[in-house]
Amino acid sequence: CAAALLEKLHGLGLVNSRQSLAVCESISAAAFCRRRLPCLLVKLRMAQNLRHAVTFVEQGHVRVGPEVVTDPALLVPRAVEDFITWVDASRLRQKVLDYNQERDDFDLAA
């Protein structure tokens, strides 16, 4: 049971090592809050602050994997953290691509 608990906590990103149950004592509510989607958007520099990140999520500008997420309370596991992106039809994505001069000519026609 201890190994399963440590594996689950490590998969959620709440602990860094799977060595002993002693690390489970140090888990706080702040650790859960840091794994929420808006906090990760700020960490990935997709938003300037938490208020903007919550707004982006609620308006449907962010997807995790193939699914559009509108719930800012979503806990993002480690395995899915790399798949946080903008929605293809998002105006924010278009602005970022324009700024980086990476926008495709096909997107301009649409």
Side-chain angles (χ1 to χ4, degrees):
C1 290
L5 175 65
L6 287 171
E7 184 65 33
K8 184 76 167 178
L9 292 175
H10 184 266
L12 283 174
L14 299 175
V15 295
N16 292 328
S17 65
R18 301 178 208 145
Q19 295 176 355
S20 69
L21 285 175
V23 295
C24 294
E25 291 180 356
S26 64
I27 297 175
S28 63
F32 285 95
C33 292
R34 285 190 298 266
R35 296 306 301 178
R36 293 178 63 209
L37 183 58
C39 292
L40 290 177
L41 288 177
V42 173
K43 181 181 169 186
L44 294 172
R45 297 180 183 231
M46 293 175 72
Q48 291 181 352
N49 54 34
L50 276 176
R51 187 171 48 136
H52 288 128
V54 169
T55 304
F56 294 159
V57 172
E58 287 175 344
Q59 290 177 352
H61 291 289
V62 180
R63 69 178 181 175
V64 178
E67 295 184 23
V68 177
V69 178
T70 57
D71 182 20
L74 176 73
L75 289 177
V76 180
R78 279 182 203 246
V80 186
E81 186 176 349
D82 295 334
F83 300 107
I84 299 173
T85 57
W86 299 111
V87 174
D88 291 335
S90 173
R91 299 273 299 165
L92 292 170
R93 178 178 178 265
Q94 294 172 2
K95 294 284 185 186
V96 169
L97 290 176
D98 284 342
Y99 180 78
N100 293 330
Q101 297 177 352
E102 296 175 353
R103 194 163 177 189
D104 193 13
D105 292 337
F106 180 75
D107 291 336
L108 292 174

